[in-house]
Amino acid sequence: MGSPIDGQAEDMDAQFETVEARLQSFLSQFQSELGVLDRIVHKNKNQHRRSSYFQYLLKVRRDCKLLQSTNLEEIVNSSFLVINGNRPKQKVQLLESLKRRKCDGVKHNFMVRLQGAARLLSQMVEPMVKAAIEISSLLARSFFMGFSMTVLAILARLRVLTQQILLDVVLVFNMG
């Protein structure tokens, strides 16, 4: 029969796998929602570009593109490689190799990159809320009903995904 320590290690491994699968799923859903937002902005730019609600929407899109450019999925995968290392020696070697990995010709520690992505995720919520408030007032005046409902739904989905990704990224950061 296994010791209590073995049981705790198995529980931690199961938790790591759950968080990893959940984070991968959220990131792919975020990508698809961003694709829809991108298409809506592209199709409606000529008509709405000077409006304040559209400017907020553009800010949300810029933030999402910036998050996309951080390669969060690669950072998370690197983190899980380190966390799931079976032997301590292997874990230390993986950690050191990941620390030495070059990104765009500059050394970046993946934990620092993960922290930067978490900071960006935490700052993305405010523009989403402001955009939703502006779109809600547009909806209250019953202007552009289809556009307003679609954008509100996308903003709501992006906000939920952003918050959930942030929670999981913080969890991964604390595990590492």
Side-chain angles (χ1 to χ4, degrees):
M1 183 137 194
S3 69
I5 295 173
D6 291 339
Q8 289 174 347
E10 289 174 8
D11 288 344
M12 290 297 283
D13 288 343
Q15 183 183 10
F16 293 149
E17 290 172 9
T18 303
V19 170
E20 185 176 16
R22 195 172 57 207
L23 203 47
Q24 296 295 337
S25 171
F26 290 149
L27 287 171
S28 68
Q29 290 174 37
F30 186 84
Q31 297 294 338
S32 66
E33 293 294 333
L34 179 57
V36 173
L37 177 66
D38 213 22
R39 188 71 186 141
I40 287 174
V41 166
H42 177 74
K43 285 187 69 73
N44 293 288
K45 192 169 195 163
N46 286 337
Q47 185 174 9
H48 301 279
R49 69 175 158 227
R50 290 189 178 96
S51 306
S52 62
Y53 58 86
F54 202 75
Q55 295 301 314
Y56 283 120
L57 205 56
L58 289 174
K59 171 74 171 119
V60 169
R61 186 177 79 158
R62 267 192 310 273
D63 287 350
C64 290
K65 294 274 188 183
L66 186 60
L67 180 67
Q68 197 175 29
S69 73
T70 63
N71 272 341
L72 184 58
E73 194 165 350
E74 176 195 330
I75 298 169
V76 169
N77 288 339
S78 298
S79 301
F80 279 111
L81 279 175
V82 171
I83 291 169
N84 290 333
N86 293 334
R87 296 186 305 266
K89 184 178 177 184
Q90 180 185 15
K91 187 183 260 191
V92 168
Q93 288 172 347
L94 269 171
L95 179 61
E96 291 306 314
S97 71
L98 287 171
K99 281 182 180 177
R100 286 190 300 268
R101 182 183 290 173
K102 290 190 182 263
C103 178
D104 299 330
V106 181
K107 283 188 178 182
H108 288 289
N109 181 332
F110 74 98
M111 292 300 276
V112 173
R113 291 175 60 203
L114 188 64
Q115 186 180 16
R119 187 171 289 124
L120 176 62
L121 281 163
S122 69
Q123 294 171 356
M124 288 174 62
V125 175
E126 185 184 349
M128 287 181 193
V129 171
K130 286 182 178 177
I133 290 170
E134 291 286 326
I135 297 289
S136 294
S137 69
L138 189 68
L139 188 63
R141 292 186 302 240
S142 69
F143 296 146
F144 309 112
M145 296 292 283
F147 171 78
S148 300
M149 289 299 293
T150 306
V151 169
L152 275 177
I154 290 171
L155 286 172
R157 185 73 179 130
L158 282 172
R159 179 167 183 231
V160 167
L161 287 170
T162 301
Q163 295 290 79
Q164 197 60 49
I165 291 170
L166 177 61
L167 285 173
D168 287 344
V169 163
V170 169
L171 186 62
V172 168
F173 184 81
N174 290 334
M175 287 178 187

